[in-house]
Amino acid sequence: MKLYCLSNDPNKPCHILTFREITVMLDCGLSMQSLLNFLPLSFVPSNRLLNLSNYMPPDVSDPDLEGELKENGERIFVDSPPEFGPPLDKLIDFAQVDVILISNYMCMMALPFVTEGTGFRGRVYATEPTLHIGRLLLEELVIYIEQCPKSSFSSQWKNYVHKCPSPFKEAFMPKSWKQIYNMSSVNASLSRIQMVGYNEKIDVYGALQVIPASSGYCLGSANWIISSDHEKIVYLSGSSTLTTHPRPMDHNALKNADVFIMTDLTQTPISNPDSMLGVLCVVVSLTLRGGGNVLIPCYPSGVVYDLFECLSAKMQESGVSNCPMFFVSPVADTSLAYSNILAEWLSTAKQNKVYVPDEPFPHALLVKNSKLKHFKHIYSDGFSTEFQEPCVVFCGHPSLRFGDVVQFIELWGNNPKNCIVFTEPDYDYIEALAPYQSLQMKIAHCAIDTSLNFTQANKLIKDLKPTTLVVPETYTKPPVSAPNLTELVIHNTPEVNLIPYKWGEIINLPVKRKQGQLFIETDVASKIVPVEIKPGLSLSTVTGTLNVKDNVHKVQDILDDQKLLNKNVKYEWGSVNINEFKQKLFQEGITDAKVESLGGNVVVIHLQDEDALIQLEDNNTHVVCNGDEALRTKLRNIVMQCLKTF
Amino acid sequence: MPELKVTPLGAGQDVGRSCILLSIGGKNIMLDCGMHMGYNDERRFPDFTYVTPDGPLTSYIDCVIISHFHLDHCGALPYMSEMVGYNGPIYMTHPTKAIAPILLEDMRKVSVEKKGEQNFFTSQMIKDCMKKVVAVTLHQSVMVDNELEIKAYYAGHVLGAAMFWIRVGSQSVVYTGDYNMTPDRHLGAAWIDKCRPDLLISEATYATTIRDSKRCREKDFLKKVHECIDRGGKVLIPVFALGRAQELCILLETYWERMNLKAPIYFALGLTEKANNYYKMFITWTNQKIRKTFVQRNMFDFKHIKPFDRQFIDNPGPMVVFATPGMLHAGLSLQIFKKWAPNENNMIIMPGFCVQGTVGHKILNGAKKVEFENRQIVEVKMSVEYMSFSAHADAKGIMQLIQYCEPRNVMLVHGEAEKIAFLKEKIQQEFKIDCFNPANGETNIISTPVKIPIDVSLPLLKAEAKKFNALPPDPKRRRILHGVLVMKDSNVCLMDVDDACKEAGINRHVIRFTSTVSINDNGPSVSTAHKLHTFLTDKLPQWGVTFSEGEISVESVLVKVEGDDDESQKTVYVSWTNQDEDLGSYILGLINVMGQ
């Protein structure tokens, strides 16, 4: 069993697991940290961005590089459509992948890169919400980028990255970065997804069984249990033990794994999501009361649903409920609509509302009461008439490199009354804001990451008792941002065999199959005669026709046309007692036996009249005689009487 | 042989009151718990004394499975769980869990408040009963206990209808409930994978019908409604609150829109909006078209269909009214029927099946006068139309489902006796499998093959595969697996003999025989050996006869030739272990004959 690590970002994971000749891809995350090295895309030309000065690395005079790099406040940016870090494609040919398992909608953004134009012919499994909401995320991304076409693609800069200052210099593998896929690849790729339910058993070529178990992180999020007859592998991706809107995490299914692969832990190990939410509510109230607007960059699904619920209540309390909330995304309407039809994937409290029947999320009511207004774009019909300040705007993209958020920053950036609040943990907010500096608006950082923190993860491991634990190497060291907080790691305890892995590595996992499974059918089973060797232990020989189909082994009765085949082979065990043997010979009328000891426990018995010789040892007997079958059969019977059989 | 035991308490050669007891691998399961609409006495509920003469059922039943929210499938549930007594789990899908209590409450009101029936369950009992319900999602594998596993499949019939696959050990059963194999205006078609159950228990409401195309029936329906409206008549359509009603509403709504009709359509039920809300929220259970467009336009927001008020009954002029219940056995639909029946301009369209004993059943059979409890006699002059819109699988659909899941046996329930008998013949002929049709209270026993899973050591499998792959390809050659089964406490593992002896801590004793035969053959002994090899290869075509370093070997049998090159007499040694006794002595015999 081997594990290949194809993604550099533990929160946008992508692995390959090979086991029993099956190649399984675990998640298909797209690393988007690369975006921070690009200039924002604006659909209204921004003078400020256009007037940024060109940058040329020291000692370089390549005319082709001219104009590709821009500079703002000692940060370097590429002036080109943004590029993404797809999974490493050098370790494995994607055409060989049999199955892709998707844990949640945040971990499937690289799917079109893997399944389209690579010869991929396998199956992709994801839950229904993962497919629906994942589609929204992919479509939103494509729309955001396609609505701001750039006239030129820059590529020369990739040759000079090492000559640029930090943090640009640290860009990870820029030569492997790719432009975004188009909508037809998205559709083709998503059409390969087969929807599954929690706890649905999926058979993979008869060799493996995979089961998605609720992970509590977001709508439809799952951990995967991959098992064969005797081995159990658990793949834990985005999981949460907090009570928010999704169905709670299923712990039981994850117990006693031989191998436990753990990834996608919290990106904000130091802060607590609940207190962050509290801070957020305070910031929003204060800003609104001061007459300022709040801008919340976000994804179109996920924590944003909880924010609608929480903020609307808080705004009511603090007397700013007359300020509207705007939700601007090309998929805002669909996201809101879907959230209310996926009742079966929600927490029990939300589910019970559906039985009334009420909408599970309060945002349906907020929309009805015009407290929450949703638009596809800032330029959509009706937005300008509905727009009123002060207000709260939720919009994408959290990287601040494209989407309507770019326009809102241009609009509100110079007023210190306004505030931008970072709630999504994926991007460093300082880096995200770098191309816009210097801004006058306030900046609040309240990243809400509900996924497991290190304390929760270590406790989980203790409860679940896996034999081997496999984690990204970064989880074995304190976070770069807080090198002193040594408790923020996955502990290496004697009970668990901890194996760290790095990007681009292939790890051998210590699972050795010793046993398989087969099925015995009626007629074979009825012929089994167990012989008790000692209390609690019986043996019986089994012979049958082996039928192997789809990796399932079946033993059926042998048909009569198999001549000469001994269907009822038995085995002898124990030792022959010489005296008993001689006595039996005598009873059968063989009286001239001459016993000769050859030392050790080897005894030879000569039968002179019969012209035969029997050599007896502890563990074997050799009967040598001429072609006289009657004699041999007689001797055979005597030897067998002296031994036990099964 | 292990067996399955099935006893219908209801729906055996009958429609209504579905309730089937299944015993599988030591577990007892109740499939559906419905009531009969045609009776007002104790016959309306299944006879639970069959399970136990008195006292609660909890210790006799491991779980109850409800296929969908129609009352003939869940109507007796509160009676069973709260009045007879059952505290075990009840499984149903989320939409069924949402909608069933509403229909139960509706029926309770009609029965107790309108008909004044005694000894009926209360509202509180419905609530208590629903607390015992565990909601399941499609395809989710649910372990009821360590051995009993169930899994729901989409059945189409009504919102949330499911077929259930039930497994204990290697035995499995599929119970369909009611299902529909053709997608309709708001639901998709039933689907199941090739799960090869030991038994398929299928409904057979339309066992002898091959229904014409849906489009024709719809056209016919619209034409009749339109004609009646044109002559100023009133159209009454008795329906159940949820299910067919929504489909017909979609149908009329689009027709009214297209034809620009003005006659009012009413939906006589406070539930309408609520009912449609369920459809909105469980939209993932509807068909693909509705699912795709729901963000832009919700199919269940009707423009032309308005809520009905009792006062409208006597309004002049044409109208179309949907009223519950669907079989005209009580409630508003019956009240409207009594008013409108004497006018020949009016029309009643029965869009679904009516069980025996209901007014619906009577008028469908051509009754021109209907008598009620209070001696009131109503003359039926209005035209009576039957339109089979109720979404059951027809004969073709049932055959299709059998083809999908490939059961070893089929059992037909939920259909009229003669119709079931006819379909039974057809299934037996076409699929060559056994088909059962028990009556209520009759037990059928179906034996199932054994398939015991055991562990097997990989070296044993690999050795067999290596040996098999080394032989020249022969499609007729069978793979033979031989090993020793080690049964240690509860572990059972097949391994090769040496490992088995090691595991058992015993010494194997090998018995070998060597017999000598003299044959006459001139020339060097090697050439004699070659001759023997050719001879044996010819005589033992099924076996791998090998020749190396002057020795011939077949399995454990070794044949060796000795003797001087210039003497004609050669000694042949034939040696084998006791396990190859038959083969060894056979080869010895062959060589003996050759030597003579």
Side-chain angles (χ1 to χ4, degrees):
Chain A
M1 191 192 295
K2 287 195 171 114
L3 185 74
Y4 302 55
C5 176
L6 310 186
S7 165
N8 183 45
D9 185 345
N11 295 95
K12 300 285 172 281
C14 183
H15 309 84
I16 293 282
L17 179 79
T18 57
F19 184 44
R20 294 200 69 183
E21 293 169 40
I22 307 276
T23 304
V24 183
M25 181 178 276
L26 305 170
D27 276 335
C28 203
L30 182 62
S31 174
M32 300 212 216
Q33 294 304 317
S34 53
L35 293 177
L36 297 176
N37 297 298
F38 291 81
L39 275 187
L41 294 177
S42 171
F43 43 78
V44 183
S46 151
N47 283 332
R48 210 181 50 76
L49 290 176
L50 286 174
N51 294 335
L52 290 181
S53 54
N54 282 343
Y55 173 80
M56 192 57 88
D59 317 324
V60 176
S61 57
D62 184 342
D64 291 339
L65 186 62
E66 191 69 38
E68 289 197 355
L69 297 175
K70 302 277 179 181
E71 192 175 12
N72 183 36
E74 297 180 5
R75 288 283 205 276
I76 313 297
F77 301 98
V78 182
D79 188 10
S80 181
E83 296 184 14
F84 299 81
L88 178 64
D89 56 0
K90 301 285 187 289
L91 285 186
I92 191 143
D93 179 359
F94 293 145
Q96 287 173 19
V97 175
D98 297 304
V99 171
I100 301 180
L101 307 178
I102 305 291
S103 303
N104 60 66
Y105 52 73
M106 297 303 284
C107 295
M108 60 185 279
M109 302 297 278
L111 210 52
F113 286 131
V114 170
T115 64
E116 302 313 300
T118 56
F120 173 82
R121 278 168 304 157
R123 285 188 172 178
V124 187
Y125 292 107
T127 62
E128 188 173 2
T130 301
L131 170 60
H132 291 325
I133 299 173
R135 177 186 293 278
L136 301 185
L137 290 173
L138 286 157
E139 285 179 356
E140 190 194 53
L141 191 62
V142 172
I143 293 171
Y144 277 157
I145 293 174
E146 286 186 348
Q147 73 182 358
C148 304
K150 278 250 177 190
S151 52
S152 60
F153 294 108
S154 307
S155 56
Q156 283 304 312
W157 62 273
K158 292 187 183 179
N159 297 322
Y160 298 101
V161 174
H162 59 285
K163 297 205 163 176
C164 296
S166 286
F168 192 80
K169 192 163 81 176
E170 279 95 49
F172 188 76
M173 303 286 290
K175 288 196 175 169
S176 71
W177 293 356
K178 285 185 180 166
Q179 305 271 343
I180 197 64
Y181 30 76
N182 58 26
M183 206 60 101
S184 63
S185 307
V186 169
N187 289 328
S189 186
L190 294 179
S191 69
R192 297 172 189 269
I193 294 185
Q194 210 155 323
M195 288 194 290
V196 295
Y198 286 146
N199 296 335
E200 177 171 350
K201 293 177 179 170
I202 304 145
D203 179 84
V204 181
Y205 300 107
L208 300 177
Q209 187 183 60
V210 294
I211 302 175
S214 178
S215 78
Y217 173 64
C218 60
L219 269 176
S221 67
N223 292 319
W224 291 91
I225 294 112
I226 302 155
S227 50
S228 66
D229 325 317
H230 293 92
E231 295 79 21
K232 177 171 174 177
I233 301 132
V234 169
Y235 172 63
L236 183 121
S237 188
S239 298
S240 177
T241 49
L242 301 178
T243 321
T244 53
H245 61 270
R247 185 107 79 94
M249 179 175 174
D250 179 354
H251 282 76
N252 238 359
L254 313 177
K255 277 185 182 151
N256 301 321
D258 296 296
V259 174
F260 197 98
I261 303 163
M262 186 182 231
T263 182
D264 202 2
L265 298 180
T266 182
Q267 302 185 71
T268 57
I270 303 159
S271 59
N272 162 321
D274 278 335
S275 54
M276 282 293 146
L277 188 61
V279 173
L280 170 78
C281 289
V282 172
V283 168
V284 170
S285 307
L286 285 178
T287 309
L288 290 174
R289 269 193 279 177
N293 300 296
V294 182
L295 178 59
I296 304 181
C298 64
Y299 292 110
S301 178
V303 174
V304 70
Y305 299 144
D306 298 310
L307 294 186
F308 292 148
E309 186 167 352
C310 203
L311 271 185
S312 61
K314 268 282 167 312
M315 283 162 67
Q316 185 92 38
E317 276 175 34
S318 40
V320 285
S321 61
N322 53 333
C323 302
M325 294 193 282
F326 291 96
F327 180 24
V328 184
S329 160
V331 296
D333 52 344
T334 324
S335 167
L336 292 177
Y338 270 119
S339 68
N340 274 328
I341 64 158
L342 298 168
E344 289 157 63
W345 306 85
L346 292 172
S347 64
T348 319
K350 294 241 180 291
Q351 219 170 65
N352 284 340
K353 289 194 176 174
V354 179
Y355 296 143
V356 175
D358 268 340
E359 269 102 358
F361 283 100
H363 52 237
L365 192 68
L366 295 175
V367 171
K368 230 176 262 169
N369 300 340
S370 298
K371 300 263 182 220
L372 175 66
K373 297 172 187 182
H374 57 90
F375 293 92
K376 283 196 184 304
H377 298 283
I378 192 168
Y379 54 80
S380 295
D381 282 349
F383 181 77
S384 48
T385 48
E386 293 279 338
F387 187 62
Q388 83 182 64
E389 293 182 318
C391 64
V392 183
V393 169
F394 295 87
C395 68
H397 183 269
S399 66
L400 311 188
R401 291 302 177 271
F402 38 76
D404 299 88
V405 72
V406 177
Q407 260 54 51
F408 279 105
I409 296 178
E410 294 288 332
L411 188 67
W412 289 342
N414 291 324
N415 187 344
K417 279 183 172 180
N418 298 330
C419 183
I420 180 167
V421 188
F422 288 87
T423 58
E424 298 288 354
D426 278 356
Y427 302 93
D428 181 306
Y429 73 100
I430 295 169
E431 295 302 322
L433 283 170
Y436 299 95
Q437 294 297 6
S438 49
L439 286 172
Q440 301 297 308
M441 75 194 300
K442 287 196 204 70
I443 297 158
H445 183 239
C446 318
I448 298 171
D449 192 339
T450 57
S451 34
L452 296 177
N453 63 32
F454 286 94
T455 316
Q456 291 161 340
N458 281 316
K459 184 175 177 304
L460 193 70
I461 296 297
K462 220 173 134 194
D463 293 345
L464 300 177
K465 300 185 176 66
T467 314
T468 298
L469 176 65
V470 189
V471 296
E473 198 198 26
T474 49
Y475 292 166
T476 60
K477 300 176 195 157
V480 183
S481 57
N484 300 326
L485 297 175
T486 46
E487 72 274 19
L488 299 182
V489 295
I490 294 297
H491 297 313
N492 195 350
T493 58
E495 295 89 61
V496 182
N497 171 24
L498 181 71
I499 304 180
Y501 64 82
K502 276 190 290 201
W503 174 85
E505 274 189 342
I506 303 175
I507 308 276
N508 268 312
L509 297 178
V511 171
K512 269 275 163 284
R513 292 184 69 229
K514 293 197 187 83
Q515 292 186 335
Q517 192 179 51
L518 59 76
F519 291 94
I520 293 187
E521 302 214 334
T522 318
D523 30 17
V524 178
S526 63
K527 284 180 190 152
I528 293 175
V529 188
V531 177
E532 192 173 52
I533 303 294
K534 56 188 175 197
L537 192 140
S538 306
L539 299 179
S540 167
T541 54
V542 171
T543 308
T545 317
L546 180 68
N547 205 324
V548 185
K549 197 173 159 191
D550 299 335
N551 274 320
V552 175
H553 291 69
K554 267 193 270 180
V555 176
Q556 290 157 325
D557 210 11
I558 291 173
L559 298 173
D560 287 332
D561 62 344
Q562 300 271 321
K563 264 190 297 181
L564 272 180
L565 189 91
N566 192 351
K567 290 181 212 173
N568 300 309
V569 175
K570 299 283 172 213
Y571 293 97
E572 297 76 33
W573 64 285
S575 301
V576 178
N577 180 307
I578 306 291
N579 291 330
E580 189 192 348
F581 185 70
K582 264 167 48 184
Q583 209 176 352
K584 292 211 154 94
L585 282 177
F586 194 80
Q587 282 164 5
E588 291 292 325
I590 301 170
T591 52
D592 60 339
K594 208 179 115 209
V595 180
E596 183 190 346
S597 178
L598 293 184
N601 285 326
V602 186
V603 172
V604 176
I605 300 172
H606 293 274
L607 310 181
Q608 277 156 339
D609 290 351
E610 288 82 4
D611 186 19
L613 182 145
I614 301 143
Q615 181 169 324
L616 296 168
E617 290 178 42
D618 276 350
N619 296 331
N620 55 60
T621 300
H622 195 174
V623 179
V624 183
C625 57
N626 58 25
D628 181 359
E629 276 294 271
L631 172 69
R632 192 188 61 81
T633 310
K634 191 190 275 181
L635 292 174
R636 175 172 182 261
N637 287 337
I638 295 169
V639 176
M640 285 178 66
Q641 278 169 30
C642 295
L643 290 166
K644 286 170 269 191
T645 56
F646 61 81
Chain B
M1 286 284 255
E3 50 195 29
L4 300 167
K5 255 169 43 181
V6 188
T7 315
L9 296 186
Q13 303 181 0
D14 185 19
V15 177
R17 203 179 63 177
S18 276
C19 184
I20 294 150
L21 297 179
L22 166 70
S23 293
I24 173 172
K27 307 282 169 188
N28 296 315
I29 297 148
M30 182 183 287
L31 303 169
D32 278 337
C33 190
M35 68 176 291
H36 204 297
M37 301 296 180
Y39 298 119
N40 286 328
D41 49 25
E42 76 280 352
R43 283 176 298 172
R44 81 183 148 221
F45 293 138
D47 179 12
F48 295 114
T49 57
Y50 180 91
V51 181
T52 169
D54 56 349
L57 306 179
T58 312
S59 48
Y60 301 91
I61 302 278
D62 292 279
C63 79
V64 175
I65 293 173
I66 301 294
S67 64
H68 62 287
F69 59 65
H70 276 161
L71 293 173
D72 55 337
H73 292 260
C74 71
L77 197 57
Y79 171 75
M80 194 272 306
S81 75
E82 306 310 309
M83 297 174 79
V84 179
Y86 170 74
N87 290 321
I90 301 167
Y91 292 94
M92 55 179 80
T93 65
H94 287 267
T96 308
K97 185 182 173 187
I99 297 165
I102 293 166
L103 297 190
L104 285 167
E105 179 57 30
D106 235 35
M107 181 214 14
R108 194 195 67 79
K109 271 193 196 141
V110 170
S111 302
V112 177
E113 290 167 17
K114 295 269 159 57
K115 294 203 224 155
E117 285 185 37
Q118 308 283 312
N119 197 22
F120 214 78
F121 49 79
T122 63
S123 293
Q124 189 55 44
M125 286 178 183
I126 298 177
K127 285 189 189 123
D128 292 341
C129 168
M130 295 313 289
K131 282 184 195 144
K132 298 172 185 170
V133 170
V134 182
V136 300
T137 45
L138 289 180
H139 302 171
Q140 171 197 7
S141 147
V142 179
M143 295 305 293
V144 176
D145 56 33
N146 284 333
E147 292 159 325
L148 174 57
E149 180 182 2
I150 63 172
K151 178 177 175 184
Y153 288 94
Y154 190 77
H157 181 64
V158 287
L159 195 73
M163 308 189 276
F164 280 86
W165 174 82
I166 300 146
R167 181 189 69 89
V168 178
S170 64
Q171 291 178 288
S172 60
V173 172
V174 170
Y175 172 64
T176 64
D178 292 353
Y179 63 104
N180 182 15
M181 296 298 285
T182 46
D184 62 29
R185 273 176 192 272
H186 71 288
L187 296 169
W191 179 87
I192 194 161
D193 52 21
K194 226 174 228 4
C195 54
R196 300 192 175 91
D198 292 308
L199 174 67
L200 171 74
I201 305 176
S202 171
E203 66 131 334
T205 320
Y206 292 131
T208 53
T209 330
I210 306 277
R211 286 181 299 165
D212 46 1
S213 95
K214 188 113 188 169
R215 208 159 275 277
C216 292
R217 269 179 291 140
E218 287 173 0
K219 233 190 235 163
D220 207 27
F221 166 77
L222 293 169
K223 203 176 119 208
K224 280 178 178 151
V225 171
H226 200 162
E227 281 167 5
C228 182
I229 296 292
D230 276 351
R231 63 175 186 251
K234 298 173 168 57
V235 183
L236 172 63
I237 309 173
V239 288
F240 286 103
L242 288 138
R244 252 0 64 197
Q246 276 69 27
E247 191 188 346
L248 294 180
C249 283
I250 294 174
L251 192 62
L252 282 185
E253 167 91 6
T254 42
Y255 188 74
W256 251 238
E257 183 96 34
R258 201 175 71 225
M259 307 301 283
N260 201 15
L261 295 178
K262 294 285 177 262
I265 308 175
Y266 295 114
F267 201 109
L269 195 72
L271 250 170
T272 330
E273 204 193 346
K274 233 178 168 185
N276 292 338
N277 257 338
Y278 283 117
Y279 275 85
K280 283 189 215 165
M281 263 177 289
F282 288 112
I283 212 122
T284 51
W285 285 78
T286 56
N287 69 24
Q288 211 162 11
K289 197 180 147 206
I290 295 188
R291 283 203 312 256
K292 266 202 173 135
T293 55
F294 88 98
V295 178
Q296 289 75 40
R297 177 171 184 269
N298 199 311
M299 285 281 251
F300 299 103
D301 284 333
F302 300 117
K303 258 202 299 190
H304 295 270
I305 301 169
K306 298 176 187 75
F308 183 73
D309 190 298
R310 253 165 231 280
Q311 294 158 5
F312 299 169
I313 296 186
D314 298 318
N315 277 7
M319 64 172 100
V320 180
V321 175
F322 288 95
T324 56
M327 298 185 194
L328 280 187
H329 56 281
L332 186 64
S333 63
L334 190 59
Q335 196 187 345
I336 300 174
F337 168 77
K338 286 178 187 171
K339 288 265 188 182
W340 292 1
N343 187 335
E344 63 268 16
N345 271 343
N346 295 343
M347 179 165 74
I348 184 165
I349 298 180
M350 303 295 299
F353 188 87
C354 289
V355 298
Q356 240 167 13
T358 59
V359 175
H361 188 262
K362 283 177 197 155
I363 60 167
L364 278 180
N365 280 327
K368 286 291 160 211
K369 276 181 189 159
V370 182
E371 195 181 331
F372 292 90
E373 290 97 356
N374 51 6
R375 294 272 176 94
Q376 183 193 4
I377 294 174
V378 171
E379 270 194 277
V380 185
K381 285 192 184 153
M382 74 199 305
S383 53
V384 177
E385 298 287 346
Y386 173 65
M387 296 249 136
S388 145
F389 279 105
S390 86
H392 292 275
D394 59 3
K396 206 170 119 199
I398 296 169
M399 301 301 262
Q400 209 177 348
L401 189 81
I402 296 174
Q403 229 164 32
Y404 275 20
C405 71
E406 287 187 2
R408 285 199 185 82
N409 299 279
V410 175
M411 177 176 289
L412 298 174
V413 295
H414 199 279
E416 287 163 23
E418 315 86 72
K419 292 184 181 174
I420 283 189
F422 173 82
L423 186 63
K424 175 182 165 174
E425 284 300 311
K426 213 175 139 192
I427 288 170
Q428 283 173 335
Q429 269 170 25
E430 196 151 316
F431 295 102
K432 309 274 181 280
I433 53 178
D434 278 338
C435 187
F436 302 82
N437 57 336
N440 287 336
E442 180 190 331
T443 302
N444 279 173
I445 296 176
I446 295 143
S447 58
T448 57
V450 193
K451 219 176 89 186
I452 306 163
I454 56 163
D455 294 341
V456 58
S457 86
L458 284 188
L460 182 73
L461 281 185
K462 281 187 182 153
E464 185 282 332
K466 198 174 158 195
K467 195 169 138 192
F468 179 77
N469 292 332
L471 293 171
D474 174 2
K476 276 195 230 150
R477 179 180 294 123
R478 288 195 179 79
R479 302 179 66 160
I480 304 294
L481 187 71
H482 168 76
V484 177
L485 206 56
V486 180
M487 290 157 270
K488 194 173 173 185
D489 304 321
S490 58
N491 294 330
V492 177
C493 184
L494 188 69
M495 47 185 92
D496 77 8
V497 61
D498 294 332
D499 288 338
C501 289
K502 211 185 275 171
E503 190 71 29
I506 55 174
N507 288 322
R508 185 186 159 194
H509 195 104
V510 181
I511 309 173
R512 183 165 268 280
F513 303 100
T514 304
S515 291
T516 47
V517 186
S518 297
I519 55 171
N520 284 317
D521 186 42
N522 286 320
S525 55
V526 178
S527 80
T528 312
H530 272 294
K531 278 182 207 158
L532 275 176
H533 177 233
T534 319
F535 171 70
L536 289 176
T537 310
D538 181 48
K539 288 282 183 191
L540 298 165
Q542 289 278 329
W543 300 81
V545 182
T546 58
F547 186 77
S548 83
E549 294 178 18
E551 284 191 1
I552 304 157
S553 63
V554 192
E555 296 288 319
S556 78
V557 185
L558 292 173
V559 181
K560 216 159 86 178
V561 183
E562 275 184 13
D564 288 339
D565 290 357
D566 33 338
E567 279 189 40
S568 67
Q569 192 177 40
K570 301 281 186 319
T571 309
V572 181
Y573 296 93
V574 185
S575 172
W576 66 93
T577 63
N578 195 26
Q579 279 65 43
D580 280 315
E581 170 71 13
D582 291 354
L583 183 66
S585 63
Y586 178 71
I587 290 175
L588 179 68
L590 286 177
I591 295 173
N592 253 332
V593 171
M594 194 187 165
Q596 281 160 12

